[in-house]
């Protein structure tokens, strides 16, 4: 969906006298001090905060939904191992086999270890630098965090001279002309693995706005539900939405 | 089991290697004799990596037993691998024992760990504590004679090995896109070594797509939240990737039912009816062109004669679900699409490597089998890659078994394998900390 932005109209001629203007703005002086319809009044003022901004509650709901979609095992289900299996042979093995931890526990612990310092991680050659500033969660990154990749290994690119077509073909065929120096390669190859949370791609700061879909039928979500902020495509889906999913975030 | 006392490598390697690509959805496994040439995809067998339990027939199916199952209704799964990493060793042990250590295990796969090498693959960025657990179980519980663990897709660099040449060199520059069940990872490889700092990951994998389709179908039609198996089947049968973002918008228009008073006819080339299995007469559903009269019937009357059938109409779900690979923000995942992720990955590399990587892109993993995936990825990536760069993208012939085959070719090279493997006696002497450092490439000889 193309991003349409309404530019402010600068045609304000300073003319004497008076003129008719279209009254579109929100005028607090005209709102009743004790409005009857509190919900509507709240929605009207809340709607001012921008189209693509989400409340903390909505963000939490989205994060929960993604977590749900990305889950491997349902913690509510208990499926036993059928038959008799060989017993654990050592104490270590018994401890590991009986562990009931889930992946999130392991990832949290790993994250805690990384925060503590590089001690438990395997020391190779290059020290971790900017890598640790990369985003650690799925919240939208700030522009600072969105700089892609660890900067320590971004090597100064050679000045790009105008290469000939034939030369370039040769280059791609051999993959190696002119090759990076041994030192460069060593730095690249001996870099420490990123932690799991650091390995995710980051959304650039200037990404196009999120496409919105109807909560009910999947068509473009052109209308925002006043109660919960979900998108719907039209009246028909609005009814379906209100009878099923609406007020989910309320 | 007894330690051999000597920490020198004894020259007699066990002659066979169990090559195991232990995925979250399926395990790809085969026994590779030393020095074997002409390995093909047929040497690999694929088994589901899960224990399934049905509350209807009160039976539990372990891994390949699932092929005996006729009633997939409300089948619940227990998967030992979460987000690509082996987490639950109790279940994983039961599955491995069932698949290749048991007396009843399949003919070609049965092996005695004490007389075999193990080549085990893992996902990149595995938490070090889970790696330690894995090493300890392999040596202390299963007691493999020798063992090597590495990031699976890196072994794809060994596909072009010439079995006769002594100087077996891996492919120099290779960019592997592994779009698997758990997630999608971009792995730049230099001479078979992973460039760790350039690795990038996307949350979107086959599991997320199936669950998303499950959620959409449950919201719009029937409650199918317990029917993971069925929805996965439907996803594999009907989903496709729209050729471009513009085409996505057009398809969305064509599958729209319109407003009240402004009804549109949906495009019959896109909208399908999926006939749901009843697990009584037939256990697999099938898709057929959408018939509006039938779906109206569904609401009230069933046809007076003939078997009752339940239809799941599929419109924009067909292409909106795999679209998540290219627009994860559609459901609020704060990540760029796959082509941008690839560019983020290679942006870390020096110029010469960047050229080499983009000229050798290979896609592995099951999501690449979705129709239209390759075309969309290629056209969007081409638009992002500078015009003077060569871009070659290919999908592996069998994207599911490809990593296994690379690993098998690696394992068939005695010299390469000998270098990598660690002996049990050595582990017993030096412990798991040392082993973790060795597998991570630290110089701890």
């Amino acid at each position: 969906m193309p991003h349409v932005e309404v530019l402010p109209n600068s045609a304000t001629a300073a003319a004497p006298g008076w003129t008719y203007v279209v009254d579109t703005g929100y005028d607090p002086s005209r709102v009743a001090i004790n409005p009857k319809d509190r919900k509507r009044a709240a929605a009207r003022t809340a709607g001012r905060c921008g189209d693509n901004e989400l409340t903390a509650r909505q963000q939490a709901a989205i994060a929960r939904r993604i977590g749900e979609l990305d889950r491997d095992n349902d913690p509510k289900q208990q499926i036993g191992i059928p038959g008799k299996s060989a017993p654990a042979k050592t104490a270590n093995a018994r401890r590991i086999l009986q562990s009931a931890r889930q992946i999130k526990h392991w990832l949290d612990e790993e994250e805690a270890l990384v925060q503590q310092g590089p001690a438990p991680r395997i020391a190779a050659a290059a020290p971790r630098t900017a890598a640790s500033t990369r985003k650690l969660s799925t919240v939208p990154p700030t522009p600072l965090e969105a700089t892609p990749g660890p900067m320590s290994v971004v090597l100064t690119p050679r000045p790009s001279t105008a290469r000939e077509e034939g030369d370039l073909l040769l280059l791609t065929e051999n993959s190696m002309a002119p090759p990076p120096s041994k030192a460069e390669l060593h730095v690249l190859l001996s870099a420490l693995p990123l932690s799991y949370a650091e390995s995710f791609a980051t959304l650039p700061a200037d990404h196009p706005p999120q496409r919105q879909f109807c909560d009910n039928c999947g068509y473009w979500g052109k209308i925002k539900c006043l109660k919960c902020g979900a998108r719907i495509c039209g009246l028909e889906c609005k009814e379906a939405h209100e009878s099923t999913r609406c007020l989910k975030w309320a | 089991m007894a330690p051999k006392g000597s920490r020198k490598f004894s020259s007699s390697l066990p002659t066979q290697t169990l090559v195991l690509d232990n995925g979250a959805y399926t395990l790809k496994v085969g026994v590779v004799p030393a020095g074997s040439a002409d390995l093909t995809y047929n040497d690999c067998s694929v088994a589901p990596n899960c224990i399934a339990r049905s509350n209807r027939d009160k039976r539990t199916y372990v891994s390949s037993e699932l092929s005996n199952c006729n009633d997939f209704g409300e089948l619940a799964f227990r998967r030992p691998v979460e987000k690509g990493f082996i987490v639950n060793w109790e279940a994983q042990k039961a599955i491995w024992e069932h698949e290749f250590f048991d007396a009843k295990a399949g003919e070609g796969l049965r092996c005695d760990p004490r007389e075999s090498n193990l080549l085990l693959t893992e996902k990149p960025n595995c938490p070090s504590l889970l790696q330690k657990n894995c090493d300890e179980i392999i040596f202390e519980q299963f007691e493999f004679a020798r063992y090597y663990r590495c990031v699976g897709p890196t072994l794809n660099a060994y596909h072009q090995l010439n079995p006769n040449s002594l100087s077996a060199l891996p492919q120099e520059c290779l960019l592997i896109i592994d779009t698997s069940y758990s997630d999608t990872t971009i792995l730049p490889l230099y001479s078979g070594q992973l460039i760790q700092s350039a690795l990038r990951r996307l949350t979107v994998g086959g599991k997320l797509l199936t669950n998303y389709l499950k959620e959409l179908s449950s919201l719009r039609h029937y409650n199918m939240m317990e029917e993971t198996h069925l929805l996965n089947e439907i996803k594999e049968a009907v989903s496709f990737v729209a050729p471009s973002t513009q085409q996505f918008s057009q398809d969305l228009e064509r599958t729209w039912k319109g407003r009240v008073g402004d009804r549109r006819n949906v495009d019959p080339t896109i909208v399908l009816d999926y006939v749901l299995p009843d697990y009584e007469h037939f256990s697999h559903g099938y898709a057929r062109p959408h018939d509006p009269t039938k779906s109206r019937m569904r609401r009230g009357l069933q046809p007076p004669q003939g078997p009752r059938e339940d239809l799941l109409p599929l419109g924009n779900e067909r292409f909106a679900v795999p679209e998540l690979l290219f627009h994860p923000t559609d459901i609020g995942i704060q990540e760029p699409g796959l082509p941008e992720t690839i560019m983020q990955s290679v942006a870390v590399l020096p110029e010469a490597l960047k050229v080499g990587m983009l000229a050798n892109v290979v896609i592995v993993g099951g999501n690449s089998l979705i129709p239209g995936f390759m075309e969309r990825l290629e056209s969007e990536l081409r638009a992002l890659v500078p015009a003077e760069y060569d871009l070659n993208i290919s999908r592996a012939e069998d994207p599911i078994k490809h990593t296994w085959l690379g690993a098998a070719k690696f394992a068939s090279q005695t010299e390469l394998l000998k270098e990598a493997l660690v002996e049990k006696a050595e582990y017993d002497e030096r412990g798991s900390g040392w082993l973790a450092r060795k597998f991570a490439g630290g110089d701890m000889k």
Side-chain angles (χ1 to χ4, degrees), chain A residues 186-246:
Chain A
H186 181 74
V187 170
L188 270 183
L189 292 175
S190 58
L192 289 172
L194 305 171
S195 79
Y196 182 78
E198 287 167 345
S199 66
F200 284 93
T202 48
L203 203 56
D206 59 340
H207 68 95
Q210 186 181 342
R211 305 191 292 189
Q212 302 286 355
F213 296 95
C214 172
D215 194 46
N216 189 51
C217 72
Y219 185 66
W220 298 121
K222 293 176 178 167
I223 306 169
K224 216 173 186 175
C225 171
L226 276 181
K227 286 184 187 143
C228 67
R231 299 296 185 118
I232 35 191
C233 71
L235 274 181
E236 204 178 352
C237 285
K238 178 171 172 284
E239 274 159 31
H241 165 77
E242 282 179 347
S243 61
T244 53
R245 299 244 286 186
C246 194

Side-chain angles (χ1 to χ4, degrees), chain B residues 13-171:
Chain B
L13 277 169
T15 50
Q16 58 171 13
T17 306
L18 183 70
V19 177
L20 176 54
D21 183 8
N22 199 68
Y25 184 63
T26 53
L27 36 92
K28 280 73 71 177
V29 62
V31 176
V32 176
S36 59
D38 301 332
L39 288 158
T40 62
Y41 290 126
N42 296 332
D43 298 312
C44 172
S45 44
V46 178
N49 193 7
C50 64
I51 298 173
R53 164 93 184 159
S54 171
N55 272 333
R56 295 212 217 172
D57 56 7
K58 304 279 180 222
R59 280 186 63 187
T60 306
Y61 303 91
V62 179
S63 189
S64 55
E65 282 175 2
L66 208 57
S67 57
N68 305 328
C69 180
N70 291 320
D71 184 352
F72 294 101
E74 292 172 33
L75 198 63
F77 293 94
R78 173 174 175 182
R79 300 191 188 279
V81 177
E82 297 185 4
K83 293 195 193 295
F85 311 121
I86 306 176
V87 172
N88 192 305
W89 273 103
E90 190 194 15
Q92 191 64 78
K93 171 167 160 282
I95 290 166
W96 285 7
E97 278 170 357
H98 179 268
E99 288 304 301
F100 28 81
F101 305 141
D102 236 27
K104 288 174 290 182
E107 267 310 297
L109 292 181
R110 196 183 319 142
C111 72
D112 181 358
R114 280 171 226 184
E115 285 158 19
S116 318
N117 309 317
L118 174 67
L119 174 53
L120 179 66
T121 70
E122 64 175 0
K123 274 254 168 201
N125 314 103
C126 184
S128 52
L129 294 163
L130 283 176
Q131 291 178 327
K132 183 164 165 278
N133 276 359
C134 179
D135 298 342
E136 286 172 358
I137 286 282
I138 296 295
F139 275 135
E140 296 183 18
Q141 179 67 28
F142 294 113
E143 299 175 338
F144 273 94
R146 285 180 181 81
Y147 158 60
Y148 180 50
R149 164 175 60 74
C150 67
V151 173
T154 60
L155 295 167
N156 283 311
Y158 295 90
H159 274 284
Q160 289 156 359
L161 284 191
N162 184 356
N164 301 321
S165 80
L166 284 171
S167 59
L169 285 174
Q171 198 176 336

Side-chain angles (χ1 to χ4, degrees), chain A residues 42-223:
Chain A
R44 204 182 290 145
T45 44
R48 302 274 145 193
C49 70
D51 264 357
N52 289 320
E53 283 169 44
L54 298 172
T55 63
R57 188 182 277 170
Q58 285 171 330
Q59 277 175 358
I62 289 172
R64 196 180 328 119
R65 179 187 180 209
I66 293 167
E68 200 92 331
L69 288 177
D70 198 32
R71 200 179 55 192
D72 290 87
N73 285 304
D74 187 350
K76 280 175 283 184
Q77 283 163 356
Q78 296 294 332
I79 299 175
I81 310 277
K84 225 177 66 167
S85 56
K89 288 180 183 159
T90 64
N92 246 347
R94 192 174 309 115
R95 174 181 57 80
I96 295 166
L97 288 174
Q98 287 173 351
S99 158
R101 301 179 78 186
Q102 295 160 15
I103 185 66
K104 61 170 188 277
H105 305 133
W106 293 108
L107 292 176
D108 287 349
E109 188 166 348
E110 180 79 359
E111 210 50 59
L113 283 179
V114 172
Q115 299 283 315
Q116 268 175 25
R121 297 181 68 81
I122 301 108
R128 302 176 64 81
T129 52
S132 49
T133 63
R134 298 191 65 235
K135 71 158 186 175
L136 300 178
S137 65
T138 50
V139 295
T142 62
L144 180 76
E145 284 172 332
T147 46
M151 298 308 291
S152 61
V153 285
V154 179
L155 300 156
T156 44
R158 291 177 316 288
S160 57
T161 50
R163 294 191 212 99
E164 291 160 81
E165 192 69 12
D167 186 17
L168 191 80
L169 284 177
L170 196 73
L171 183 93
T172 50
E173 251 172 45
N174 298 337
S175 326
M176 277 307 291
S181 72
K182 278 238 163 66
E184 277 181 335
L185 276 177
H186 181 74
V187 170
L188 270 183
L189 292 175
S190 58
L192 289 172
L194 305 171
S195 79
Y196 182 78
E198 287 167 345
S199 66
F200 284 93
T202 48
L203 203 56
D206 59 340
H207 68 95
Q210 186 181 342
R211 305 191 292 189
Q212 302 286 355
F213 296 95
C214 172
D215 194 46
N216 189 51
C217 72
Y219 185 66
W220 298 121
K222 293 176 178 167
I223 306 169

